[in-house]
Amino acid sequence: MENYDNLLNDLAPKKFGKVGVIWTCSLIAIIIVGIIAYIDQLIKGQIVTNMRDYALWGIYISNFVFFVATSFVGSVTVAILRLTKNKWRTPLVRIAEIISLAAIAMAGVTIMIDMARPDRLLNLFIHARLQSPITWDVIIIPTYIVISFLLLYFPLIPDFAILKKHFKDKNPVLSKWYGKLSLNWKGTAVQKALQEKSIRIIALMIIPVGLILQTIDAWLFSTTYRIGWDSTNMGPYFIAGAFVAGIGALVTVVYIVRRAYHLEAYITDFHFDKLGKLLVLACLTYLYFNINEYLLPAYTVTKDESVHLNTLFSGSYSPIFWAVTIIGLIFPILFLLFKKGRKPLPMFIIGLVVVLASWWKRYLIVTPTLLHPFLPIQGVPKSWHHYFPSIHEWLITLATLAMALLIITLLVRFLPIIPIQRTADEQALLNNEKDTKS
Amino acid sequence: MKNDSNSRRKFLNNGLKAGIATVIGGIGLSKMATKLNAKTDGKKVELMTTDGHLVEVDASEIIEEKTTNSKSYTVREGFKNKKFVMVVDLAKCKNALKCVSACNKHHYITGKNAWLKVYKMQESKDTAPYWMPTACQHCDQPACVTVCPVDATFKRRDGIVLIDNNRCIGCRFCMAACPYSTRVFNWSEPDQGDITLNLSMEQETQPSPEHGGLPSIKGTVDKCDFCPHEIKKGKLPHCVAACPNGVFYFGDKYEDTVTNGDETLRFSKLLKDKSGYRLMEGLGTEPSVYYLPPVDRLVDFEKGLKQYDEYQSVKKSE
């Protein structure tokens, strides 16, 4: 029982310290600035961006793709590790579910920021046409939001009941909220069976839905004729990329939460080692699809393809391209293959690099292709031949990233970040085993 | 989840419609069969074919087509029994740019990217340069229409692809899908000035997709509309009428005739005689615009260079 109290004290949500408050306030400040920039964009139109008739999509779209990719982490860690019965996932799943939910919610917001007529949003339902990939997105993104939410919520129910008791005297208001969210959880056999079954169904559903989501995202590009997008490789390429971005984000957030909440006893080097192996698997898979995506067209060198590849390999986009490929993909693989590279701190740095590279990778997928269309770019101002995001675009994009981080921060603040009930059960199981052995 | 039930309802609705259509089709077929079995009464009628030959057919074979009444005409269906095509003779183009300025003027284009542009083309270092006027190709398999999520851009039975800019949500997917880069976007409030004044003067009371740019709307897509507003008046599209060199031919594929205002030619014969082709045939977009190769040119390519401006297609004075 003493054990259990310790556990509860360790894992129950705690108030933020000074750093936590400063962090939250700065996120809110960034969001406010972004909202002001967005209102300005609404008033003046998208002329405030640097997008024009040729570079018709910019970082709003690449940021959207980044969010969608990152949201894949829920499917991978929760569902796949569950199906493969990997026990080490227990202290990590909730963080993964939180990232997943925050990312997919922000993906929905970001795509609306790119719409020049958000006031006509309802047209997507009133006049929906099923052959448009955007309609597929309109169907799959809300579906994924709901499933991600349920996958986060169902396992939380017993924990809410525990927290209701825990905060009864310390914080009655919070306790009341936890009580409402626990849906009268008593821990009876019927409730447990029902909860088990619900989680199993959702965990199974999120795999195909997650794969479909990534694939549809890829099809937004590969359903066009454009060089660099018109590729049958796109679906698996995006899935592999999402695998990398998601695990990278997970590693980063897990490290920070572990430090901030002093959870070293629960999230150990062993967990980072396992995560590192998963990340290197993701990176190797992604490297394979990158080779398919770039080296095959480089072998046949049709005229259009060579223009595209030259801007990436040696042209104006080459610094970003090589940084993303070497620092963001090949270096992580090299470091993670060694045991020392899979220690917490190196893993944190690698995770951060991988996430940054994933963001810029989407920029490289969206922008260069638009700037070499089939017919030459003529009859438009010189500035339309290039694209780099404007201040408005940066402010708004930063705000969306800050908002995703704020959602994660708030959920980390108010939810038990490591499943209490599950950990207790597993520890009890472990103790029982010890008892029978001795 | 509202959207799920909505699209489901739509799906069921469409399924129902398809079912009804099948039943109606079945009735139609059986009616046709009875007509075929009907005895001829021996009356013969003389008719003239499109080639100008006289033929004699049995009177019972003639099915009277109701003349198109204005009530059945809708913007989304277009002109009945027409299929508009354009032929661009590259041999005659000397980059006079009258087509561009006429188009810009009549569609009140105030942006920086014209709907119709004359491209300076050269396939490779050793091949001859030429001028190529290009606007919307009005494809029969339009990629832009396929990807539009809200049916704002649509294909009509008469072959014209138009945009309903009161429905467009500004996602720009159509622009990404179009391989001919002909679509332009209203990034800011279009500065069309006294267009409302013109609206009342020309008695074009209702803005319609049939007159693109009248008015343009912020955050929506615009493009060449093949000038149905001129066709309605029995006139040729502005670019065709404005060209001093007779580069553009416009007409109806079903009538097999095209005209540039000066001469009227057989469409099929013109393509055959002058080896007509279409842009990026390999993509399978099936454009309605045909090109005649720039051979036996009367004017040097260099003469057009004077007017050429790589960075401007809409002059501010227009």
Side-chain angles (χ1 to χ4, degrees):
Chain A
M1 206 57 212
E2 196 186 307
N3 247 345
Y4 182 73
D5 284 344
N6 278 342
L7 185 77
L8 196 52
N9 275 328
D10 282 351
L11 300 185
K14 288 190 250 330
K15 271 193 180 152
F16 280 156
K18 210 173 166 188
V19 183
V21 174
I22 294 172
W23 164 256
T24 312
C25 290
S26 15
L27 286 180
I28 292 171
I30 295 172
I31 293 167
I32 291 171
V33 172
I35 290 172
I36 294 169
Y38 179 64
I39 291 171
D40 196 42
Q41 174 181 308
L42 279 183
I43 295 166
K44 290 183 188 149
Q46 293 196 335
I47 193 80
V48 299
T49 72
N50 274 348
M51 292 187 280
R52 292 295 178 264
D53 289 353
Y54 285 94
L56 52 99
W57 284 340
I59 51 167
Y60 295 154
I61 292 289
S62 58
N63 194 37
F64 160 74
V65 179
F66 170 78
F67 276 129
V68 170
T70 310
S71 75
F72 193 51
V73 67
S75 312
V76 182
T77 48
V78 186
I80 295 176
L81 291 181
R82 189 191 158 88
L83 283 184
T84 51
K85 299 200 169 69
N86 272 295
K87 279 265 155 51
W88 58 271
R89 71 178 193 277
T90 307
L92 308 174
V93 282
R94 187 147 299 151
I95 301 178
E97 287 155 5
I98 288 173
I99 297 174
S100 210
L101 184 63
I104 193 63
M106 288 318 296
V109 172
T110 311
I111 196 71
M112 281 188 257
I113 290 171
D114 183 73
M115 268 176 65
R117 299 296 306 223
D119 54 315
R120 295 178 181 176
L121 187 70
L122 280 180
N123 282 4
L124 282 168
F125 305 101
I126 300 166
H127 302 293
R129 296 177 85 235
L130 268 182
Q131 66 264 56
S132 169
I134 291 185
T135 308
W136 309 340
D137 247 346
V138 169
I139 294 168
I140 200 73
I141 290 179
T143 311
Y144 197 73
I145 291 178
V146 170
I147 294 181
S148 297
F149 171 75
L150 293 180
L151 194 59
L152 176 65
Y153 183 58
F154 285 162
L156 265 171
I157 295 173
D159 286 359
F160 280 138
I162 294 172
L163 290 176
K164 180 192 174 187
K165 232 188 274 170
H166 182 71
F167 282 106
K168 201 154 201 175
D169 307 319
K170 283 186 231 166
N171 191 339
V173 181
L174 206 57
S175 170
K176 207 178 128 193
W177 277 104
Y178 286 133
K180 274 187 185 156
L181 287 167
S182 72
L183 305 178
N184 270 331
W185 177 266
K186 298 273 188 318
T188 61
V190 180
Q191 284 185 330
K192 271 188 178 162
L194 197 62
Q195 189 220 14
E196 264 298 303
K197 199 178 168 192
S198 318
I199 295 177
R200 209 181 315 136
I201 292 171
I202 291 291
L204 267 179
M205 272 176 74
I206 203 165
I207 299 174
V209 174
L211 291 175
I212 292 168
L213 172 71
Q214 299 304 325
T215 310
I216 288 174
D217 204 29
W219 286 350
L220 282 183
F221 303 100
S222 58
T223 46
T224 67
Y225 296 113
R226 305 253 176 177
I227 305 295
W229 290 355
D230 179 20
S231 154
T232 48
N233 190 33
M234 276 316 222
Y237 178 52
F238 269 52
I239 291 173
F243 196 6
V244 174
I247 305 286
L250 180 61
V251 170
T252 319
V253 177
V254 163
Y255 181 85
I256 295 170
V257 169
R258 182 177 103 129
R259 270 200 68 153
Y261 275 4
H262 306 293
L263 296 173
E264 283 82 358
Y266 299 90
I267 305 171
T268 60
D269 283 14
F270 167 75
H271 293 106
F272 276 93
D273 188 63
K274 284 285 189 189
L275 269 181
K277 285 176 180 164
L278 198 59
L279 183 55
V280 78
L281 172 68
C283 287
L284 283 169
T285 317
Y286 198 36
L287 182 67
Y288 168 76
F289 284 110
N290 268 284
I291 290 170
N292 277 275
E293 187 63 22
Y294 294 114
L295 289 192
L296 273 164
Y299 186 88
T300 49
V301 272
T302 61
K303 201 171 171 183
D304 294 333
E305 289 281 6
S306 70
V307 171
H308 176 61
L309 291 176
N310 280 338
T311 51
L312 292 176
F313 292 167
S314 56
S316 47
Y317 288 95
S318 59
I320 308 177
F321 179 80
W322 291 115
V324 162
T325 312
I326 294 173
I327 304 173
L329 193 57
I330 293 175
F331 280 6
I333 292 173
L334 291 179
F335 287 128
L336 290 173
L337 282 174
F338 297 98
K339 205 168 175 68
K340 272 187 185 167
R342 299 196 295 269
K343 294 276 174 225
L345 185 64
M347 279 283 289
F348 170 65
I349 297 166
I350 291 171
L352 205 59
V353 168
V354 161
V355 171
L356 281 174
S358 295
W359 194 91
W360 282 102
K361 174 75 179 175
R362 271 77 198 166
Y363 180 81
L364 285 176
I365 291 174
V366 174
T367 307
T369 284
L370 288 168
L371 290 174
H372 22 80
F374 291 99
L375 289 176
I377 301 179
Q378 288 180 14
V380 294
K382 209 169 185 176
S383 60
W384 292 25
H385 291 233
H386 310 283
Y387 169 77
F388 194 76
S390 70
I391 305 263
H392 279 78
E393 286 175 276
W394 281 121
L395 291 179
I396 293 169
T397 301
L398 281 176
T400 62
L401 292 166
M403 214 178 285
L405 289 173
L406 185 67
I407 296 173
I408 294 172
T409 308
L410 290 178
L411 290 177
V412 166
R413 165 68 185 85
F414 291 105
L415 300 182
I417 205 63
I418 291 177
I420 301 173
Q421 185 69 54
R422 277 268 303 272
T423 314
D425 289 350
E426 280 176 12
Q427 281 192 355
L429 212 68
L430 234 76
N431 289 338
N432 284 344
E433 270 171 25
K434 269 185 202 158
D435 289 346
T436 46
K437 267 177 195 165
S438 58
Chain B
M1 293 317 292
K2 185 186 171 193
N3 112 53
D4 273 6
S5 67
N6 231 336
S7 53
R8 196 176 108 88
R9 198 168 305 146
K10 197 169 174 143
F11 176 73
L12 287 177
N13 188 16
N14 283 343
L16 199 66
K17 277 181 195 159
I20 292 168
T22 318
V23 173
I24 293 172
I27 295 168
L29 273 179
S30 60
K31 270 205 169 167
M32 208 140 68
T34 49
K35 202 164 244 172
L36 281 175
N37 290 336
K39 277 179 188 164
T40 54
D41 53 6
K43 245 189 189 171
K44 298 278 183 190
V45 178
E46 273 195 344
L47 291 173
M48 187 184 270
T49 69
T50 47
D51 303 331
H53 299 296
L54 279 178
V55 287
E56 203 169 68
V57 294
D58 200 280
S60 61
E61 279 178 33
I62 294 169
I63 302 160
E64 223 173 296
E65 183 89 356
K66 272 183 196 142
T67 45
T68 39
N69 53 6
S70 55
K71 267 182 196 163
S72 71
Y73 178 86
T74 63
V75 171
R76 283 193 174 248
E77 290 281 316
F79 300 96
K80 288 261 162 68
N81 306 318
K82 298 270 184 199
K83 171 74 178 76
F84 295 110
V85 286
M86 182 180 268
V87 181
V88 181
D89 190 350
L90 299 179
K92 292 183 193 161
C93 182
K94 26 185 168 169
N95 196 30
L97 293 178
K98 294 283 183 256
C99 54
V100 177
S101 51
C103 175
N104 288 348
K105 184 184 163 205
H106 291 286
H107 292 105
Y108 309 95
I109 295 171
T110 52
K112 287 177 178 168
N113 192 12
W115 300 354
L116 167 64
K117 291 193 281 193
V118 181
Y119 285 90
K120 184 179 144 200
M121 297 295 286
Q122 189 169 19
E123 310 298 343
S124 70
K125 196 164 59 78
D126 295 328
T127 57
Y130 59 95
W131 301 106
M132 184 174 84
T134 301
C136 177
Q137 303 290 303
H138 296 274
C139 305
D140 288 346
Q141 301 292 336
C144 51
V145 172
T146 312
V147 299
C148 179
V150 296
D151 204 13
T153 186
F154 56 91
K155 174 84 179 168
R156 307 206 303 186
R157 282 163 177 269
D158 58 12
I160 299 180
V161 176
L162 293 177
I163 300 168
D164 179 354
N165 60 8
N166 281 311
R167 187 184 286 189
C168 175
I169 59 165
C171 70
R172 311 186 292 287
F173 203 163
C174 55
M175 299 174 71
C178 174
Y180 304 100
S181 307
T182 60
R183 292 178 161 248
V184 308
F185 195 69
N186 293 299
W187 296 97
S188 58
E189 196 64 64
D191 180 25
Q192 289 178 313
D194 49 358
I195 189 172
T196 39
L197 195 77
N198 285 326
L199 265 174
S200 51
M201 271 165 60
E202 289 176 15
Q203 307 198 323
E204 298 261 10
T205 45
Q206 278 295 311
S208 146
E210 291 198 319
H211 195 149
L214 196 73
S216 288
I217 297 176
K218 181 178 97 175
T220 64
V221 180
D222 274 335
K223 71 164 189 69
C224 153
D225 56 8
F226 249 23
C227 294
H229 49 282
E230 292 299 293
I231 300 171
K232 263 187 180 167
K233 295 183 217 156
K235 289 185 186 168
L236 289 167
H238 295 299
C239 53
V240 182
C243 181
N245 304 311
V247 173
F248 299 91
Y249 294 85
F250 189 82
D252 178 6
K253 193 181 176 187
Y254 296 157
E255 280 177 9
D256 200 23
T257 48
V258 285
T259 176
N260 64 356
D262 293 333
E263 52 175 351
T264 303
L265 302 170
R266 277 270 166 267
F267 170 65
S268 54
K269 192 166 181 299
L270 181 64
L271 293 186
K272 210 170 166 185
D273 291 349
K274 296 204 170 168
S275 304
Y277 66 95
R278 297 187 289 190
L279 294 184
M280 301 173 216
E281 187 72 65
L283 296 180
T285 49
E286 306 280 339
S288 298
V289 179
Y290 294 75
Y291 285 85
L292 305 179
V295 290
D296 301 327
R297 283 181 274 182
L298 296 172
V299 189
D300 283 344
F301 167 81
E302 281 73 20
K303 291 241 166 94
L305 282 173
K306 249 189 288 170
Q307 295 89 260
Y308 179 69
D309 187 341
E310 198 186 340
Y311 302 118
Q312 198 181 47
S313 54
V314 186
K315 290 218 170 60
K316 278 297 145 221
S317 54
E318 278 160 8

